[in-house]
Amino acid sequence: MKARTAFLVLLTAGVVGTAAWLVFFSPVLGVRSIEIVGNLTVPSERIKQQAGVADLHPLATVNLADVQSRVLGIRQVASAKVDRIWPGTLKIEVVEREPVAAIPAGDTFAIVDKQGVVIELKPALPPMLPLLKVDRPAAGDPAMMAALQVIQAVPDEVLPKVRQVRAGTAEGVTLELSDGRSVVWGGPDRPEEKARILASLLRREKATVYDVSSPDVVTVK
């Protein structure tokens, strides 16, 4: 009986040891594919290279936090989520930064997202992005952040017409439209009201200046 018990213990240990070896050390359950989800402009191959996971590396020992950190090193990526899909797939789901404005930067244009993060440099101004002019073009600058909030609040029907956004202060944001009209928006407060009023004014009032900085007292000139 003792011999039989010892045999069963050894057998169990052997099975457990083999299973552990298969999971943690063997290429049998290694990374055979990397699935990239959510990317629109960043090539999947670039994300895979940035992830830095070798083929057949044991899936169980992939440090998901490290992979996530490396992928976030790509400027165009705002967030990343990494998961294991057994038996051999590493899934990386990314959310890319969306460009909202372009800032003059010497002979180029810095394309920034809603947080003021520079996504990339372009040699020419992209046709669908407004030019942003502020005194201190840096993420976190009050005037710049206010201007970026305003750009996001502009009605969808109006945004394609916005050629330039100026912000001397956080409370002094103005918009210049492609047809020469201008909008005094003011600060980023009460965005829904300002957006609704502006859209209505542009449809029914012929003017050159629309002041919606105080939604309670709107003026046109």
Side-chain angles (χ1 to χ4, degrees), residues 200-216:
S200 176
L201 287 175
L202 291 175
R203 285 194 297 266
R204 60 184 176 83
E205 296 286 346
K206 293 185 179 295
T208 56
V209 179
Y210 301 81
D211 190 336
V212 297
S213 57
S214 175
D216 298 322

Side-chain angles (χ1 to χ4, degrees), residues 36-43 46-47 50 67-81 92-98 113 115 117-119:
I36 309 298
V37 178
N39 58 314
L40 299 174
T41 63
V42 183
R46 183 183 177 193
I47 297 175
Q50 190 75 12
V67 174
Q68 179 188 46
S69 178
R70 288 194 291 268
V71 171
L72 288 175
I74 301 175
R75 277 189 174 271
Q76 292 93 329
V77 175
S79 65
K81 180 182 179 183
I92 303 175
E93 184 174 359
V94 301
V95 175
E96 294 184 359
R97 297 185 184 278
E98 295 184 18
D113 71 351
Q115 297 174 327
V117 175
V118 177
I119 301 173

Side-chain angles (χ1 to χ4, degrees), residues 167-181:
T169 67
E171 300 300 321
V173 181
T174 61
L175 315 174
E176 292 185 12
L177 307 185
S178 56
D179 59 8
R181 293 182 291 180

Side-chain angles (χ1 to χ4, degrees), residues 109-192:
F109 295 88
I111 310 303
V112 298
D113 71 351
K114 64 182 181 180
Q115 297 174 327
V117 175
V118 177
I119 301 173
E120 58 182 329
L121 296 176
K122 290 280 190 180
L125 177 65
M128 297 304 293
L129 291 181
L131 185 66
L132 176 57
K133 289 193 173 181
V134 292
D135 294 334
R136 292 179 294 277
D141 175 71
M144 178 168 168
M145 301 313 294
L148 292 173
Q149 290 179 55
V150 169
I151 291 172
Q152 295 174 79
V154 173
D156 292 340
E157 63 190 87
V158 179
L159 188 57
K161 302 174 185 177
V162 178
R163 180 180 62 189
Q164 184 169 286
V165 179
R166 291 179 176 271
T169 67
E171 300 300 321
V173 181
T174 61
L175 315 174
E176 292 185 12
L177 307 185
S178 56
D179 59 8
R181 293 182 291 180
S182 62
V183 177
V184 180
W185 188 282
D189 58 306
R190 302 172 70 179
E192 294 84 2

